[in-house]
Amino acid sequence: MEGHSTYQPKNKVAQWFESRLPIVGLVHSSAIAYPVPKNLNYFWTFGAILSFMLVVQIVSGIVLAMHYVAYAPVAFARVEHIMRDVSFGWLLRYIHANGASMFFIAVYIHIFRGLYYGSYKAPREVLWILGVIIYLLMMATAFMGYVLPWGQMSYWGATVITNLFSAIPVVGEVIVQWLWGGYSVGDPTLNRFFALHYLLPFMIAGVVGLHIWALHHVGQNNPDGIDVKSVSKDTVPFTPYATLKDVFAIAVFMIFFSWFIFYTPNYLGHSDNYIPANPMSTPAHIVPEWYFLPFYAILRSIPDKLGGVLAMFAAIAVLAFLPWLDTSKVRSARYRPLFRIFFWIFVVVAVGLGYLGSQPSEGWYVIVSRIFTVYYFVHFLIILPLLGFIEKPKPLPASIADAVLAKHAAGGATVMAGASAPETK
Amino acid sequence: MAHAETSQKATRRDFLYIATGAVGAVGVAGMVWPFVSQLQPDASVLALSTTEVDLSPIAEGQIVTVQWRGKPIFISHRTKKEIEEAQKADLASMRDPQPDADRVKAGKDQWLVVIGICTHLGCVPLGHQGAYDGWFCPCHGSVYDTSGRIRQGPAPLNLALPPYAFTSDTKIVIG
Amino acid sequence: MTIRSILFGAAAAALLFVAPATASEGGGHDGRPPRLSWSFAGPFGTYDTAQLQRGFKVFKEVCSSCHSANFLYFRNLGQPGGPSFSEAQVKQIASGYQITDGPNDSGDMFERPGRPSDHWPAPFPNEQAARASNGGALPPDMSVLAKARSYHVGFPGFITDAFIQYQEHGVDYIHAVLTGYGEAPEDVHVQSGLHYNKYFPGNQIAMPNPLSDGLVEYTDGSPQTVDQYASDVAAFLMWVAEPHLDARKRIGFQVVIFLIVLSGLLYFTKKKVWKNVAH
């Protein structure tokens, strides 16, 4: 998109350099002059929060890798060595372990923001699909990272998740053995997971680069879901407006993050993971980390091995087709009264699946899991395609500037209601 | 942005910006510290800081190497001749002059305990070699005498002395 | 707009993270351990040095005859935020144990008195020996036991625990098991070699009741009762599992206060910058 200003090298040296490597100009156009819609709300700060969390995880992870040893007989002890002996080791490990959860909290808010405001619709389909790829890479990274402390949950989580691939007909068993590097999860598995756990975050960083590139090419969506008509009237330059807002949001997010690091560092983990891995005995209730629970619930709700695995992967894959499943021309749920209702039903179903995933697979839990699983797919495959034809959207404002003006003209109380659309359920 | 504000307003605004920037800078520094601090030797390394050595099996004229904090320590049971050479050497000709008496414990002239790391670039010198029959560093040719003092070659300083004490006639504790 | 959006975000986040907590508690207990008041609970909690020293005595004289604590080093006993024994006391405690070291120059292993850099010696050389001496049951290593045990909290406790920072499930459980021995109810058949315990999952535990009133002598006038022993040793094991808790909570308080100030400044800066832009 055309920016608010262009970089003009002031002196000879800068001109000489810029004509050979226009990197300062690139930074200027993407981080300073880049036009940001005026009407963005705080849900749009989660992109910055996620970038921050990626840096936190990579930096703390590299530092932890300086002390950790990916060798099954000592891995558990090495983590305890970090917790006890390394200067600030306890802090670094709690940052990294809780940071994974914070990363997912932020990414789920980011994803649901995209769902609510229709951020996946043209021309942002590629941007959205890149996001789905990042999400998949995050899941793989988080899963392998959880294996590294080599506790009971690490071991049995690795066993269960890798066994998903045994559902593949004919070659499944062989694939699983190749994943393990043996006849069960063991030292070779730990070692390769460590190597991949170190690699994948850099792949995430690469795809994040593409994600931001695509974003800056098409421009940001906004709460009204309408296109920028005039850069000068509808947008503000990224710096200082969006940067300061993002930094403020990051600081507030860090307060939330600190609460877990310093005060309840093991709340999001599982106590069984402080028991060293024991291949001879499975814990009574094995559950994945909380951020996998909705998918875990879908997996368990299908009473067939291959079917469950397929349903679980389909639940993620369906997101990639969302830009074409949603047939409505209107992006933002603000102007889609029916969609808004179904959006919130979907939120309840997704959170509900998460809760069910944490419960034992018995009694009414199973029945509700099945209903919710069916609804999850119905939402994407039936409701969204149909809504576009049935729903009568509210009239859209002529421009972002008009929407902002209308909001201010409407006065105090309605300003609150209009601007905080997500709460108006 | 063009501003038509009074200078007083500008000052107040600048103060807010500077305060925010300063507090932010302190925060970044505070956040960086644990990541730097973790580089230092950890508690388990620091705890292994003493080594006890029994000297009784070391024969006269023998040099043994023991480990202390991951470094080689030379313990030389010096012969009368070696002690004499060390004591009579001309201090004026040395690069890092130090009388032999300062390099051993009083009354224990026969025991020389030095850190076995060449003060040039950290290689481990070889015992009973070189022109002074002390140590010779194969990396860059530094020559030490029977008191571990630098006599020839590029090294700037004598072999360092670890902190140690005799706990009995035949036992020392290093560190 | 902003405040409500943030609150909403926080609520949404809360909803997303609460789900796992139900999963993080082991189920199957007939009785839920009572919640005790611990000196190290809450945002300003710190270990009680005297209690840790008493707990250490119970651990040393009772628990450690069957349980290992391989990540506990003698030197830890003297570090700040722990039982805070003096350097001389630590050396004395360590030298009271014979440690197998070696091989020496002739290739043999040998015994020597313990040093502060040694870890707490395990009572059995390996798992098989431990099982053989304990009727087939393995006394678990106690290094992180206080973090490795929990109990089912249920709804809504698992949500509120995050807000009230309740993290003491492990110590509650240890105290409960140590005080939970008793006669089995008539309808419960206790297998031979096992013992009835109200709070142990499944109610049948291989460990015989290790504590009795007056078993360990206290010199500071604290009551020499099973309940007191159980609290003290549970607190000690919490310290063994989380030796940097004091520092963690102290630094956490500083960090949170700092971040609140920084957020406030950033908020006003942001507001000032956006002042002339309708949004």
Side-chain angles (χ1 to χ4, degrees):
Chain A
M1 280 179 87
E2 179 202 347
H4 278 267
S5 58
T6 44
Y7 171 65
Q8 303 291 350
K10 286 192 186 66
N11 59 52
K12 283 261 166 64
V13 178
Q15 280 168 9
W16 180 89
F17 189 79
E18 195 67 8
S19 63
R20 281 153 184 83
L21 180 68
I23 191 166
V24 184
L26 179 70
V27 171
H28 182 92
S29 66
S30 52
I32 294 172
Y34 170 68
V36 179
K38 282 177 177 178
N39 57 341
L40 297 189
N41 59 31
Y42 271 95
F43 286 106
W44 264 265
T45 61
F46 280 88
I49 289 171
L50 284 162
S51 309
F52 171 76
M53 284 312 302
L54 180 62
V55 173
V56 166
Q57 289 302 85
I58 288 181
V59 172
S60 60
I62 289 174
V63 163
L64 287 170
M66 294 178 190
H67 301 280
Y68 173 75
V69 176
Y71 176 53
V74 300
F76 187 88
R78 285 305 287 191
V79 172
E80 279 308 310
H81 163 73
I82 292 170
M83 292 291 289
R84 288 152 189 274
D85 292 336
V86 174
S87 178
F88 287 106
W90 58 269
L91 175 59
L92 299 169
R93 184 189 168 228
Y94 280 152
I95 286 176
H96 199 70
N98 286 289
S101 286
M102 296 301 125
F103 209 150
F104 275 97
I105 286 172
V107 92
Y108 282 128
I109 294 174
H110 192 68
I111 292 171
F112 278 105
R113 188 269 288 153
L115 292 175
Y116 187 84
Y117 294 110
S119 299
Y120 45 84
K121 292 186 196 181
R124 297 185 182 83
E125 302 95 322
V126 172
L127 174 62
W128 173 262
I129 291 169
L130 287 168
V132 175
I133 293 171
I134 293 170
Y135 179 46
L136 278 170
L137 287 172
M138 278 175 68
M139 291 170 120
T141 311
F143 159 65
M144 291 194 237
Y146 194 58
V147 175
L148 303 185
W150 211 238
Q152 274 288 67
M153 279 294 160
S154 300
Y155 185 90
W156 292 101
T159 300
V160 169
I161 300 296
T162 49
N163 263 314
L164 293 180
F165 295 93
S166 70
I168 301 169
V170 190
V171 291
E173 289 296 331
V174 176
I175 289 177
V176 173
Q177 284 188 3
W178 281 47
L179 284 175
W180 290 337
Y183 299 114
S184 65
V185 173
D187 190 49
T189 326
L190 174 62
N191 225 319
R192 62 189 60 180
F193 277 18
F194 180 54
L196 292 173
H197 181 70
Y198 207 124
L199 167 71
L200 287 182
F202 296 98
M203 292 177 65
I204 293 177
V207 185
V208 166
L210 296 177
H211 192 67
I212 293 173
W213 186 10
L215 172 74
H216 284 214
H217 182 68
V218 296
Q220 267 154 309
N221 185 28
N222 58 79
D224 290 302
I226 48 180
D227 292 328
V228 169
K229 299 230 164 44
S230 151
V231 166
S232 61
K233 282 183 193 152
D234 292 344
T235 72
V236 286
F238 190 79
T239 301
Y241 295 96
T243 28
L244 260 176
K245 195 170 170 181
D246 286 345
V247 171
F248 167 63
I250 289 171
V252 173
F253 191 77
M254 280 173 78
I255 298 175
F256 176 70
F257 189 5
S258 300
W259 182 277
F260 286 94
I261 297 173
F262 293 105
Y263 293 130
T264 61
N266 294 306
Y267 177 79
L268 295 163
H270 196 296
S271 55
D272 278 353
N273 223 28
Y274 280 106
I275 302 172
N278 179 1
M280 296 298 121
S281 142
T282 310
H285 294 280
I286 98 151
V287 278
E289 288 286 83
W290 68 268
Y291 33 82
F292 295 134
L293 289 172
F295 301 106
Y296 190 60
I298 291 173
L299 168 79
R300 291 194 312 186
S301 67
I302 311 279
D304 174 75
K305 188 170 176 179
L306 181 60
V309 173
L310 288 178
M312 189 182 77
F313 284 112
I316 303 164
V318 72
L319 290 170
F321 298 95
L322 183 56
W324 298 279
L325 290 171
D326 185 344
T327 50
S328 173
K329 293 277 174 291
V330 177
R331 291 196 191 102
S332 172
R334 270 188 191 176
Y335 305 100
R336 298 186 61 191
L338 269 179
F339 169 75
R340 199 190 294 175
I341 294 165
F342 284 107
F343 170 84
W344 286 109
I345 294 174
F346 178 71
V347 170
V348 170
V349 166
V351 174
L353 279 170
Y355 177 76
L356 292 163
S358 75
Q359 296 303 311
S361 189
E362 59 198 27
W364 66 271
Y365 291 130
V366 178
I367 300 158
V368 181
S369 292
R370 287 187 185 156
I371 295 169
F372 278 20
T373 298
V374 169
Y375 185 85
Y376 181 98
F377 289 103
V378 165
H379 176 82
F380 287 111
L381 300 175
I382 298 173
I383 295 176
L384 286 186
L386 285 183
L387 269 187
F389 301 105
I390 298 167
E391 186 177 53
K392 187 178 178 303
K394 291 194 218 163
L396 291 174
S399 71
I400 290 172
D402 282 2
V404 169
L405 278 178
K407 189 178 88 181
H408 283 271
T414 30
V415 169
M416 291 293 286
S420 52
E423 298 96 312
T424 53
K425 183 208 164 186
Chain B
M1 288 190 301
H3 292 288
E5 291 163 304
T6 65
S7 63
Q8 202 189 353
K9 263 188 178 169
T11 316
R12 209 188 304 148
R13 187 202 61 203
D14 290 347
F15 174 74
L16 179 63
Y17 291 172
I18 292 166
T20 309
V23 173
V26 170
V28 170
M31 216 157 72
V32 167
W33 175 241
F35 291 86
V36 177
S37 174
Q38 56 84 22
L39 292 167
Q40 67 178 286
D42 64 53
S44 65
V45 173
L46 294 174
L48 294 170
S49 55
T50 63
T51 301
E52 209 181 62
V53 185
D54 182 7
L55 302 178
S56 52
I58 306 174
E60 198 173 289
Q62 193 187 0
I63 299 174
V64 301
T65 308
V66 298
Q67 211 185 39
W68 173 68
R69 291 188 176 173
K71 292 188 270 201
I73 302 288
F74 295 149
I75 303 176
S76 171
H77 191 172
R78 300 189 294 182
T79 60
K80 283 230 161 59
K81 179 168 163 275
E82 285 174 329
I83 299 170
E84 244 169 59
E85 277 173 16
Q87 287 172 340
K88 284 187 183 153
D90 176 22
L91 291 183
S93 68
M94 290 182 198
R95 187 171 301 152
D96 182 15
Q98 196 180 21
D100 186 59
D102 288 3
R103 297 180 57 81
V104 294
K105 300 286 179 201
K108 304 278 185 193
D109 283 340
Q110 71 274 38
W111 296 110
L112 177 74
V113 181
V114 290
I115 296 176
I117 292 178
C118 182
T119 56
H120 181 219
L121 290 170
C123 297
V124 178
L126 306 169
H128 290 311
Q129 287 195 27
Y132 295 84
D133 198 31
W135 284 270
F136 171 76
C137 182
C139 292
H140 308 96
S142 294
V143 179
Y144 299 88
D145 66 13
T146 54
S147 190
R149 291 171 296 200
I150 180 65
R151 303 300 284 268
Q152 285 175 4
L157 296 171
N158 302 335
L159 290 180
L161 305 173
Y164 72 97
F166 279 88
T167 51
S168 75
D169 270 355
T170 58
K171 265 196 179 157
I172 58 168
V173 172
I174 307 171
Chain C
M1 133 181 180
T2 57
I3 306 294
R4 284 189 59 183
S5 300
I6 291 168
L7 282 179
F8 173 77
L15 271 177
L16 281 164
F17 75 67
V18 290
T22 41
S24 74
E25 322 294 348
H29 301 228
D30 296 313
R32 191 181 294 180
R35 292 193 165 187
L36 305 184
S37 133
W38 301 97
S39 72
F40 44 86
F44 303 107
T46 55
Y47 289 119
D48 173 355
T49 310
Q51 184 178 41
L52 294 190
Q53 294 197 357
R54 291 196 302 272
F56 170 67
K57 200 153 192 272
V58 178
F59 168 76
K60 181 176 186 273
E61 293 178 15
V62 184
C63 315
S64 71
S65 53
C66 295
H67 291 270
S68 62
N70 292 333
F71 303 143
L72 171 67
Y73 288 75
F74 288 114
R75 63 185 156 83
N76 295 140
L77 296 169
Q79 74 193 21
S84 303
F85 288 112
S86 70
E87 211 183 310
Q89 283 171 310
V90 171
K91 279 189 174 152
Q92 199 202 338
I93 293 166
S95 62
Y97 289 85
Q98 289 295 310
I99 306 289
T100 306
D101 201 348
N104 61 16
D105 291 342
S106 48
D108 300 320
M109 300 303 278
F110 59 93
E111 299 263 312
R112 59 161 175 79
R115 296 180 195 146
S117 58
D118 291 318
H119 74 74
W120 191 268
F124 303 104
N126 51 53
E127 185 186 324
Q128 286 74 6
R131 284 189 190 277
S133 304
N134 289 284
L138 175 69
D141 185 86
M142 285 187 152
S143 307
V144 283
L145 194 70
K147 289 197 282 188
R149 293 292 181 274
S150 196
Y151 51 85
H152 187 75
V153 176
F155 186 84
F158 77 87
I159 300 174
T160 52
D161 279 356
F163 292 94
I164 63 169
Q165 303 180 357
Y166 200 81
Q167 287 267 288
E168 286 71 38
H169 309 95
V171 268
D172 284 342
Y173 171 80
I174 291 171
H175 172 272
V177 163
L178 288 175
T179 55
Y181 286 91
E183 285 298 311
E186 297 213 340
D187 55 329
V188 175
H189 172 71
V190 180
Q191 295 173 40
S192 82
L194 298 182
H195 310 269
Y196 180 78
N197 190 305
K198 253 197 303 199
Y199 296 111
F200 188 74
N203 296 122
Q204 307 200 23
I205 187 169
M207 175 171 72
N209 188 352
L211 297 174
S212 56
D213 287 349
L215 182 69
V216 178
E217 193 187 342
Y218 281 163
T219 52
D220 64 352
S222 300
Q224 302 182 54
T225 59
V226 167
D227 186 67
Q228 184 70 33
Y229 293 150
S231 300
D232 292 347
V233 81
F236 174 75
L237 290 177
M238 186 68 219
W239 169 76
V240 175
E242 187 80 4
H244 297 296
L245 179 143
D246 282 11
R248 189 185 86 212
K249 292 191 174 181
R250 191 183 62 241
I251 295 171
F253 183 69
Q254 294 161 350
V255 168
V256 169
I257 293 295
F258 176 86
L259 284 174
I260 289 172
V261 171
L262 178 64
S263 303
L265 284 168
L266 283 168
Y267 177 71
F268 288 114
T269 307
K270 180 248 158 197
K271 223 173 138 179
K272 221 151 212 175
V273 164
W274 279 81
K275 198 172 64 181
N276 299 320
V277 180
H279 60 280

